[in-house]
Amino acid sequence: MPDYLDDLRLAHVLADVADAATMDRFKALDLKVETKPDMTPVSEADKAAEELIRGNLQRARPRDAVLGEEYGIEGTGPRRWVIDPIDGTKNYVRGVPVWATLISLMEAGEGGYQPVVGVVSAPALGRRWWAAKGAGAYTGRSLTSASRLHVSKVGRMADASFAYSSLSGWEEQGRLNGFLDLTRTVWRTRGYGDFWPYMMVAEGSVDLCAEPELSLWDMAANAIIVTEAGGSFTGLDGRPGPHSGNAAASNGLLHDEMLSYLH
């Protein structure tokens, strides 16, 4: 199996650079915010963080392609870095600390590109999570100061904690009834939103989470962290990985049962 430690180290450096840029503008009274064509917000900090990450990748990995939320795809080849400079921009612009930079390296293989490295850095929460293919998932302050992540062992829906982002997307896709049936079946539900539920699945503090509409940059880093922690990450159609335009993550024991409600 390839060794992705050098790529993981680079991803941490990229996250450090992004953290400095995003924290510098977090809660700034003069923060500039625009509305994109899809009616979602983008701040000057989103753009600045992605530009910094791209600049560092151009110097460190000039042959690799880069796909980012704000500036699209650049380059070709079997290796592709996937960047969400601020996942949770709506939180960011309102001063809510639940947002993160998502960085993933994907490699071409059977079934298309698959994530092999992932870093999720939430500086306003003082948290970071990461994983590399075959090397496990971790959380901590640095590569040398970390704890390994493991999903929960909860095996009954009646004992499970389920996290989600909002109700509106489920209703728009005609999946609301199944979603509500699932919420009535589990022990506990919470609308944490964005990257955080996936990290809690990896940590074992949440057992299930799902979102009805996502982009690749929302999912790639989360997917490898959940799976390397021993969990399952698929689309609502059950397809493994971050390619279905939506996501379901779990400790693995309850995954098929969750999908039976949501698909």
Side-chain angles (χ1 to χ4, degrees):
M1 181 176 293
D3 181 357
Y4 296 103
L5 185 56
D6 284 345
D7 294 311
L8 182 59
R9 289 194 188 102
L10 174 59
H12 275 271
V13 171
L14 299 175
D16 290 341
V17 169
D19 286 355
T22 52
M23 286 299 291
D24 182 60
R25 300 299 291 154
F26 184 48
K27 296 188 178 181
L29 295 179
D30 60 344
L31 181 72
K32 295 178 182 178
V33 183
E34 303 170 8
T35 300
K36 293 191 286 189
D38 64 0
M39 301 308 293
T40 60
V42 57
S43 75
E44 62 183 86
D46 292 78
K47 294 180 178 180
E50 184 168 324
E51 288 169 355
L52 286 167
I53 292 170
R54 286 175 176 268
N56 278 269
L57 283 171
Q58 180 60 39
R59 290 187 291 273
R61 297 287 191 276
R63 296 185 179 182
D64 292 352
V66 182
L67 170 66
E69 179 176 12
E70 307 308 334
Y71 295 106
I73 184 73
E74 182 178 359
T76 59
R79 288 164 48 97
R80 178 181 296 173
W81 293 86
V82 179
I83 311 299
D84 189 343
I86 299 180
D87 182 55
T89 298
K90 292 177 182 178
N91 283 345
Y92 184 88
V93 301
R94 289 297 302 270
V96 178
V98 183
W99 49 271
T101 295
L102 278 52
I103 300 169
S104 178
L105 172 63
M106 304 185 74
E107 282 194 346
E110 293 184 14
Y113 285 87
Q114 297 299 332
V116 295
V117 167
V119 171
V120 172
S121 189
L125 294 176
R127 297 293 310 276
R128 185 176 290 187
W129 303 261
W130 62 89
K133 185 177 180 180
Y138 295 84
T139 184
R141 294 184 176 274
S142 67
L143 283 168
T144 57
S145 177
S147 302
R148 188 154 187 173
L149 299 175
H150 298 281
V151 296
S152 75
K153 296 182 180 180
V154 172
R156 295 198 321 146
M157 277 293 189
D159 300 324
S161 179
F162 170 56
Y164 60 96
S165 285
S166 68
L167 296 177
S168 58
W170 299 102
E171 186 172 26
E172 289 165 5
Q173 293 197 6
R175 301 179 190 263
L176 184 60
N177 288 338
F179 173 86
L180 292 175
D181 286 343
L182 175 60
T183 66
R184 298 182 185 110
T185 302
V186 298
W187 166 63
R188 190 171 191 251
T189 62
R190 284 293 183 270
Y192 298 110
D194 301 306
F195 69 95
W196 207 8
Y198 302 96
M199 299 304 98
M200 287 191 278
V201 167
E203 292 179 338
S205 53
V206 164
D207 312 300
L208 308 162
C209 70
E211 291 182 271
E213 187 174 6
L214 294 167
S215 298
L216 181 61
W217 47 76
D218 298 313
M219 297 183 281
N222 295 335
I224 182 113
I225 292 171
V226 168
T227 55
E228 284 294 323
S232 296
F233 190 104
T234 73
L236 298 177
D237 56 4
R239 179 185 176 189
H243 295 289
S244 298
N246 46 49
S250 76
N251 64 4
L253 300 174
L254 300 169
H255 202 82
D256 290 344
E257 192 172 353
M258 172 174 60
L259 292 180
S260 71
Y261 285 94
L262 299 177
H263 182 39

